[in-house]
Amino acid sequence: MNLWMRKIAVALIAVLTFGLYTPTYLIADEENNEVVSPKGHDHSEIDVEVVSNEDDEDIDVISTFTEKAKQQSLTKFGPKISEKVEVEFNQIILPKIEQALVTILENEDTSYVSITEQPSNGYGERIFNIYNELTKEDIAKFHVRRDNRPLEGYWFNFHYHVKEDNFETHYTLGEIYWDKNTPPKWMA
């Protein structure tokens, strides 16, 4: 088990048990890179359980963020737009948002990462931002833009930006066709 994974496991168990129990079998002897066992017992089975629990926690974080992203998107659309594009959004855009979240959060400490609660209304593009609660810095910004293509009509262009390139590059998630008529304002 990597050193940082052991530290996270110790911290999580300590927090979950309110500090009443600290798993000493996970504390590493840093000089020898070995796990210290208090009574000489073999704890390899326990190590495997901890790794699988952390994998489950990563999946839970992604599924939680995906569910919040869906809620924020439907809030942004409002009832008039949601009625028409919700099915297509759930089938095409939402899985791509989930993939983007996995990519974005793989290098982040997810215990301090949150999603903004209020999408922009009117004609604003913001659906939600992913940000670090400690530094208050944005990690990624998820947007939807209205595109009016001549002779085609209106399209909703879903994309995101990341802090690595100073939020300049558009990473496209997909598009949903609206109609030739102008869509209502967001959250209407």
Side-chain angles (χ1 to χ4, degrees), residues 147-155 175 177-181:
D147 290 338
N148 183 7
R149 299 179 187 161
L151 302 177
E152 285 186 37
Y154 286 89
W155 290 78
E175 295 180 322
Y177 178 72
W178 169 255
D179 197 343
K180 290 198 178 210
N181 296 325

Side-chain angles (χ1 to χ4, degrees), residues 27 34 65 78 81 90 95 103-104 134 148 159 168 170 180 183:
I27 299 173
E34 295 177 2
F65 272 62
I81 296 175
N90 289 336
T103 304
I104 292 166
L134 295 177
N148 183 7
H159 59 278
E168 292 180 7
H170 280 68
K180 290 198 178 210

Side-chain angles (χ1 to χ4, degrees), residues 98-123:
E98 186 173 19
Q99 290 172 352
L101 288 171
V102 168
T103 304
I104 292 166
L105 297 176
E106 71 185 357
N107 296 326
E108 296 291 332
D109 181 7
T110 56
S111 57
Y112 299 111
V113 174
S114 289
I115 189 169
T116 56
E117 296 293 324
Q118 187 61 33
S120 62
N121 58 5
Y123 294 109

